[in-house]
Amino acid sequence: MDNNKMPIPLNRANILPRFPVEYLPPVIADFVNAISENFKVYPEMPAAYSLAILSLCCQQKARIRATVTWAEELNLYVCIVADPSEMKSPVFNTMIEPVREYVADYNKEHATEIATANDIRDSLIMQKNQLKGKSGNEAEIRRLNEEISNTQSAHLLRLITTDSTNEALIEMMEENNGSVGIMCDEGGIFQVAGGLYSDSQSNINCYLCGYDGQGIFVNRKTRNIDIPRATITMGVFCQKKVLADIMSNTSFTGKGLTQRFMYCMPESKVGTRTLIEPSPQKFIEAREKYSELVKNLLAMPMTNKNIYLNLTPEARNAFASYYSVIEGRMSNGGEYEDFHDYFGKFAGRTLRIAGLIHLAKYMDINRPVDLESMTSAYVIMEYLAEQTKMVLGYENYNVSAEKLLEKLVDMCRKKHTDLLTVREINKKVRSCLSKEQFDDAIEKLEIKGYIAHIMPEKSRYNNRNLGSYLVNRAWLNSKGVTIGQNP
């Protein structure tokens, strides 16, 4: 590296497209824009999470049919990636609030009914137990068993959880007609799925089955759990370090869990935000309409019957065209060739989003999904495809080198030096770059002449010393960094 010569400029990464908010149902779009304005976040964050909310509301209400032999559930797995202080929790709490209100109101309204049903069932069980062992009571015991079988246990409504073991999750689904939502503003659920509470033994079968509406059957000593059609919605916020852990978890990737997620990494507004509040009345009105929509969707009856949303001929033709486009991209030499395990699920997700948009607009399972809803789903999936490409590290979206260079310049500015140890660099960037991203960024910066690796002289005392990096002084001077003394 020539320390007095400017390095070769980095190729700037492509600018990600904005979320096409206007293609969301009008009530959702208005609330997304209101959140963006009031919470000082880009619309991508609430827009992507609105898909998880719709999924939670509509799962188990119907399936959407593409062909006679192919139908998709309406649930989604959504992961939104953002650093601390990005307003993840306020956005999450605001969007999930109507769900919590619906659950609280439902349980209050049905509390007496639930308690009475359970008391009746307990009384029948007690009567049966008292007759056991007494001769001549077989007919009465048989009658009581029939009554007990026809009197199901009643439960308080529990639609969502934030951190549950697999066993608790399955029990929740059994109590709630086979569905549950994992909705949280942190990524702790991935630690649970990875075996946090089970001696680091990963067991993600329920998450795999719950995405596709498959059956979950659990045999226990005391009782069996039989869920013929299980659906899970996942709407998770997490930090970039958690995302790196998810993508490097071979159990998750090998079994297809990471491939089931839609990813969104919104741009940050930190450092540019102001305390100026837009019209509060506009936000209140948008929130009220959003809350009403969410509660109306939740109130639609669940059913385990084979109820399907069908497509109009125009919507079916449009979907068939998009299906061909995706297949072409996954072919040999195509854009998605190396990641067909991720993009192979995009056609199905397009169907799911079309069904969610349709129900949010019309709340009518008998009305066919029209071309407008299918087009909206296609446009949204194209946006999510670009997000997925960035998460997977596509070259044209790999900003690791730029991020690392910014960190190095900042460290040199604060320390008034152009020499940084590998150890202190690792400590600075480990929260925002994975090891693979870091190694790739280092290589690019060395090739372009931004840094040069300096190994220490070998001695028995510094065998673990990883050396240092000398940062190009001409580059630092161009950034106004003073070397060797305080400015």
Side-chain angles (χ1 to χ4, degrees), residues 166-167 189-208 246 249-258:
N166 292 346
E167 292 77 12
I189 189 62
F190 293 111
Q191 291 180 298
V192 177
L196 178 63
Y197 300 130
S198 54
D199 298 325
S200 298
Q201 297 298 312
S202 174
N203 181 9
I204 60 175
N205 287 339
C206 65
Y207 301 98
L208 303 179
I246 296 169
N249 187 313
T250 54
S251 178
F252 290 175
T253 56
K255 295 181 179 179
L257 179 59
T258 54

Side-chain angles (χ1 to χ4, degrees), residues 193-468:
L196 178 63
Y197 300 130
S198 54
D199 298 325
S200 298
Q201 297 298 312
S202 174
N203 181 9
I204 60 175
N205 287 339
C206 65
Y207 301 98
L208 303 179
C209 294
Y211 180 83
D212 295 313
Q214 298 178 24
I216 295 179
F217 311 102
V218 179
N219 297 319
R220 294 181 178 175
K221 291 182 179 179
T222 55
R223 69 187 183 94
N224 298 327
I225 296 179
D226 185 348
I227 307 175
R229 176 188 172 195
T231 57
I232 299 174
T233 286
M234 294 189 73
V236 182
F237 288 84
C238 73
Q239 297 181 18
K240 293 177 183 177
K241 177 62 170 63
V242 175
L243 175 66
D245 293 341
I246 296 169
M247 302 302 287
S248 62
N249 187 313
T250 54
S251 178
F252 290 175
T253 56
K255 295 181 179 179
L257 179 59
T258 54
Q259 292 88 330
R260 283 166 164 80
F261 275 88
M262 302 189 307
Y263 298 95
C264 179
M265 192 178 296
E267 189 178 347
S268 173
K269 276 194 173 184
V270 172
T272 64
R273 297 175 293 190
T274 65
L275 200 57
I276 300 174
E277 185 180 19
S279 169
Q281 187 60 35
K282 180 180 177 182
F283 177 80
I284 292 171
E285 291 174 357
R287 182 178 60 187
E288 289 177 350
K289 292 179 180 178
Y290 164 79
S291 178
E292 181 181 8
L293 173 62
V294 168
K295 292 176 182 179
N296 287 337
L297 289 172
L298 287 171
M300 292 178 65
M302 282 189 176
T303 176
N304 286 319
K305 298 179 181 178
N306 293 325
I307 295 178
Y308 296 95
L309 295 172
N310 293 306
L311 308 180
T312 65
E314 296 80 9
R316 188 182 304 278
N317 291 337
F319 176 70
S321 297
Y322 185 48
Y323 182 88
S324 298
V325 168
I326 295 174
E327 285 294 304
R329 292 173 182 173
M330 292 190 296
S331 63
N332 291 336
E335 184 181 3
Y336 301 162
E337 177 186 4
D338 295 331
F339 296 98
H340 56 80
D341 51 339
Y342 283 86
F343 292 103
K345 298 185 181 296
F346 267 51
R349 285 189 200 138
T350 305
L351 275 177
R352 295 182 184 212
I353 292 176
L356 295 175
I357 290 174
H358 170 82
L359 289 181
K361 289 195 300 185
Y362 306 115
M363 281 187 283
D364 185 351
I365 60 175
N366 296 313
R367 175 172 177 163
V369 177
D370 57 25
L371 177 60
E372 181 179 313
S373 296
M374 184 59 69
T375 301
S376 296
Y378 158 74
V379 173
I380 290 171
M381 281 309 304
E382 284 293 278
Y383 162 82
L384 292 169
E386 297 303 304
Q387 289 283 325
T388 301
K389 286 161 62 177
M390 181 182 67
V391 169
L392 293 175
Y394 269 55
E395 180 66 24
N396 56 339
Y397 286 129
N398 192 342
V399 296
S400 301
E402 297 167 35
K403 289 182 179 179
L404 178 57
L405 187 57
E406 290 175 2
K407 296 287 186 182
L408 297 180
V409 171
D410 185 57
M411 292 171 69
C412 291
R413 179 177 287 110
K414 292 178 179 178
K415 296 172 69 69
H416 310 293
T417 181
D418 57 357
L419 190 65
L420 303 170
T421 67
V422 174
R423 197 174 302 278
E424 64 184 336
I425 295 173
N426 279 330
K427 184 178 179 180
K428 184 71 174 178
V429 304
R430 64 188 177 190
S431 63
C432 61
L433 294 177
S434 67
K435 184 180 184 306
E436 292 76 12
Q437 290 172 323
F438 176 77
D439 291 343
D440 180 65
I442 283 288
E443 180 181 1
K444 287 183 179 178
L445 293 184
E446 285 191 279
I447 292 174
K448 298 284 188 178
Y450 287 90
I451 58 176
H453 190 212
I454 301 175
M455 286 296 295
E457 294 182 6
K458 291 186 177 180
S459 75
R460 65 175 184 173
Y461 299 107
N462 64 3
N463 288 335
R464 298 182 64 186
N465 192 328
L466 301 176
S468 303

Side-chain angles (χ1 to χ4, degrees), residues 13-25:
N14 286 1
I15 299 175
L16 283 165
R18 293 294 181 201
F19 192 105
V21 177
E22 65 274 16
Y23 286 89
L24 290 169

